[in-house]
Amino acid sequence: MEQDDEFRNAGQSDGESPSIRYLVESALRSVASTSQSEKPSTRDEWIAHLAATMVSDSETSHRAAISSLIASGVRSSEVYQSYIPAVSRYLGEMWVNDRASFVDVSLGSARLQALLREAGEPAEVSLLDRSIPLGQSVLMVIPPYEDHALGAFVAADQFRRHGLWVHMGIGLNRDELVELIASSRFSLVGLTAATWKSVEKAGDFVDYIRQGLDHCPPMVIGGRAVTEPAKVERLTGVDFAVKTVREAVDRAGLMSISQETGLDKLNT
């Protein structure tokens, strides 16, 4: 079966590629359960500790870690302007090195976003720092109206396997996305559509983004709802509606290491 079939089945968990089921390395996990008497003592240790709590099963451990960091003498402004972006990059590096699953990255990103929004989104924190950086070139967007994030992370993993670096944009509104795209050099912007309702809402979303940019990279939409690509393209205004990541890479004219290695084909 084509590994890229996962993109077509966005939102489903059966048949996941083994590479996206990796948990954050056990050493990182163990940090989250470290007793309060063993608090981190250096900035790097704090970043690793915060990253671990962001992906912890506990719903409150990351907030307790932030409070503990502030109690240690770090100013609140520094937490949001320095530590949180560093934690975001740390989780991204874990993903790139196959030491974090899409579940971990999704959970960590959601918690980072929530912390920033609760703090009033300090102006000093850039949009790039507000999402998990999985690399560069492709921006994979989970639109605000999309309730299913799994498909986007599956697609991101597929893009990465093609040798492309992916930046995840999660929960950003239209203006934020316009600003992010305008300030970056993405080769492709991908949207996920798990349901037909998402397809119907994508039209206005795509149109708004295009109107706000002097130059817009090719936009592609994929997911379980893309059963009739030509129809979806007409309704949404994207450049390509695709059923597989392989198709997105080819139609956008992106370079792929799988062109030479046969990485496309993988039994799942």
Side-chain angles (χ1 to χ4, degrees):
M1 183 178 87
E2 288 260 350
Q3 124 186 34
D4 289 344
D5 285 349
E6 299 271 358
F7 197 35
R8 179 170 61 246
N9 297 321
Q12 298 180 354
S13 59
D14 294 338
E16 294 167 3
S17 170
S19 68
I20 60 173
R21 291 200 298 267
Y22 288 149
L23 296 177
V24 174
E25 59 181 348
S26 58
L28 177 60
R29 287 293 196 189
S30 66
V31 177
S33 60
T34 301
S35 67
Q36 289 301 307
S37 62
E38 301 176 357
K39 291 180 181 178
S41 58
T42 68
R43 185 176 185 276
D44 287 345
E45 288 178 357
W46 270 111
I47 290 170
H49 177 65
L50 290 171
T53 62
M54 292 297 168
V55 301
S56 169
D57 291 335
S58 170
E59 293 292 335
T60 59
S61 62
H62 64 291
R63 297 181 182 278
I66 292 291
S67 297
S68 181
L69 177 59
I70 293 174
S72 72
V74 177
R75 292 174 302 180
S76 177
S77 59
E78 186 177 357
V79 170
Y80 291 100
Q81 295 170 24
S82 177
Y83 280 82
I84 284 184
V87 170
S88 176
R89 289 189 291 272
Y90 188 95
L91 290 174
E93 290 169 2
M94 296 295 290
W95 169 272
V96 169
N97 292 315
D98 279 331
R99 293 183 293 167
S101 71
F102 63 85
V103 174
D104 291 309
V105 176
S106 180
L107 178 61
S109 178
R111 285 173 172 170
L112 287 169
Q113 293 280 349
L115 286 171
L116 286 169
R117 292 194 185 283
E118 291 168 9
E121 301 181 4
E124 295 84 355
V125 180
S126 73
L127 290 172
L128 283 172
D129 286 335
R130 290 182 47 202
S131 54
I132 298 295
L134 307 184
Q136 58 184 1
S137 186
V138 175
L139 173 63
M140 194 68 214
V141 178
I142 301 176
Y145 54 77
E146 180 57 72
D147 296 325
H148 303 279
L150 174 59
F153 279 95
V154 172
D157 186 76
Q158 304 292 334
F159 276 120
R160 185 168 59 84
R161 286 175 168 273
H162 279 276
L164 299 167
W165 287 58
V166 184
H167 198 101
M168 296 297 297
I170 305 173
L172 303 180
N173 63 38
R174 297 181 300 180
D175 290 329
E176 292 169 336
L177 280 171
V178 168
E179 182 179 343
L180 176 58
I181 296 170
S183 62
S184 308
R185 294 184 178 181
F186 297 115
S187 301
L188 184 70
V189 175
L191 303 177
T192 181
T195 66
W196 190 252
K197 183 178 180 180
S198 294
V199 171
E200 293 175 334
K201 291 185 176 181
D204 289 340
F205 191 74
V206 170
D207 186 58
Y208 189 93
I209 291 174
R210 288 193 186 281
Q211 290 184 10
L213 295 168
D214 293 329
H215 170 72
C216 183
M219 300 188 72
V220 60
I221 190 169
R224 188 169 51 189
V226 183
T227 55
E228 300 178 70
K231 181 178 180 180
V232 172
E233 287 176 4
R234 290 195 301 272
L235 287 174
T236 62
V238 298
D239 295 284
F240 317 114
V242 300
K243 296 183 177 182
T244 69
V245 167
R246 167 81 266 177
E247 185 181 358
V249 170
D250 288 343
R251 295 191 66 182
L254 303 180
M255 297 297 294
S256 169
I257 61 172
S258 64
Q259 293 172 350
E260 297 181 359
T261 65
L263 193 57
D264 284 343
K265 299 183 182 299
L266 177 70
N267 292 327
T268 57

